[in-house]
Amino acid sequence: MSQTHQTQSLPPDTGVLLCAFCFLPAALQSKKGGYTMNIQKCIKASFVVIGKEGSTHDGDGFIQRLWEDANSHFHEISHLAKRNTHGDLAGIWGAMSDFSRSFQPWEYGFREGLYLAGCECEDHAEPPDGWTKWVVPAYEYLYAEQEDEFTFRKLMAYLFQNQLPLAGAVQDYTDPKTGKNYIFIPIRKL
């Protein structure tokens, strides 16, 4: 279980419902020449992530430390992980929430909040000692492959340009099969 940012379209057995008509032609144009992004839309039912929790109050590099801890102890939760029909992990998530744990966006300009480095698990799973369970609410999301360090800003610009709301905390997803990373932006709570 590791987190790297890359991805393509999600396989249908990850629990993410994709619609053929949901593809959004999202050519984002900057004033300096332009760039394009493949932004897609999906609905994801509520899901469980069990992982290692930390916060921005833990200092610089805390997310990397959480992933190192989660990866080195993954054997403790591997039996709880949700798997697709082929037996592969359903998803690796860098789940985020505000400090109230209500899955609102990080505070103070997306600089402060909670982070859970973990994997998607069965709904009934209970975390062992040292692990934390979050139940991420159901949302409609826009998502795109994390192509570079500017992907989040590009997605936020897309929301603003299209007058779409940010309905909750942004989530990072890694497709275990491809190793590609995606950013999921909630636009509607279900």
Side-chain angles (χ1 to χ4, degrees):
M1 179 176 80
S2 63
Q3 195 185 27
T4 32
H5 291 290
Q6 298 175 334
T7 207
Q8 210 172 216
S9 58
L10 300 173
D13 56 2
T14 62
V16 176
L17 303 176
L18 299 178
C19 306
F21 64 87
C22 290
F23 174 77
L24 299 176
L28 303 177
Q29 297 297 320
S30 74
K31 293 179 182 168
K32 295 183 181 177
Y35 51 85
T36 61
M37 284 181 66
N38 180 12
I39 299 175
Q40 297 187 37
K41 187 186 286 187
C42 71
I43 291 176
K44 180 144 176 68
S46 177
F47 63 101
V48 167
V49 176
I50 293 180
K52 297 292 185 168
E53 182 183 272
S55 88
T56 52
H57 294 161
D58 296 333
D60 291 341
F62 85 97
I63 292 174
Q64 182 63 34
R65 289 190 301 275
L66 290 174
W67 281 113
E68 289 169 2
D69 190 13
N71 287 330
S72 66
H73 295 97
F74 178 68
H75 64 278
E76 297 172 7
I77 64 162
S78 63
H79 65 286
L80 302 173
K82 185 179 265 186
R83 302 198 180 261
N84 65 23
T85 56
H86 303 291
D88 301 320
L89 292 177
I92 299 169
W93 291 89
M96 293 179 248
S97 179
D98 63 324
F99 287 110
S100 74
R101 297 178 189 279
S102 61
F103 296 97
Q104 291 302 303
W106 276 17
E107 302 165 78
Y108 305 106
F110 308 109
R111 291 189 308 264
E112 293 189 18
L114 300 172
Y115 191 93
L116 187 70
C119 73
E120 190 166 342
C121 290
E122 297 294 339
D123 293 346
H124 66 277
E126 289 302 320
D129 289 341
W131 293 84
T132 301
K133 176 180 177 176
W134 285 6
V135 180
V136 180
Y139 285 103
E140 180 177 12
Y141 290 96
L142 294 182
Y143 70 94
E145 182 177 348
Q146 185 166 351
E147 299 168 345
D148 56 36
E149 68 273 16
F150 302 109
T151 302
F152 174 75
R153 289 182 187 165
K154 293 174 190 176
L155 284 166
M156 294 308 292
Y158 181 86
L159 288 184
F160 179 76
Q161 290 169 356
N162 291 280
Q163 300 179 0
L164 295 169
L166 176 61
V170 174
Q171 309 300 338
D172 292 331
Y173 170 81
T174 299
D175 182 338
K177 190 172 184 177
T178 65
K180 292 183 178 184
N181 296 308
Y182 296 85
I183 296 177
F184 276 66
I185 307 278
I187 58 171
R188 183 172 60 98
K189 190 171 183 178
L190 303 177

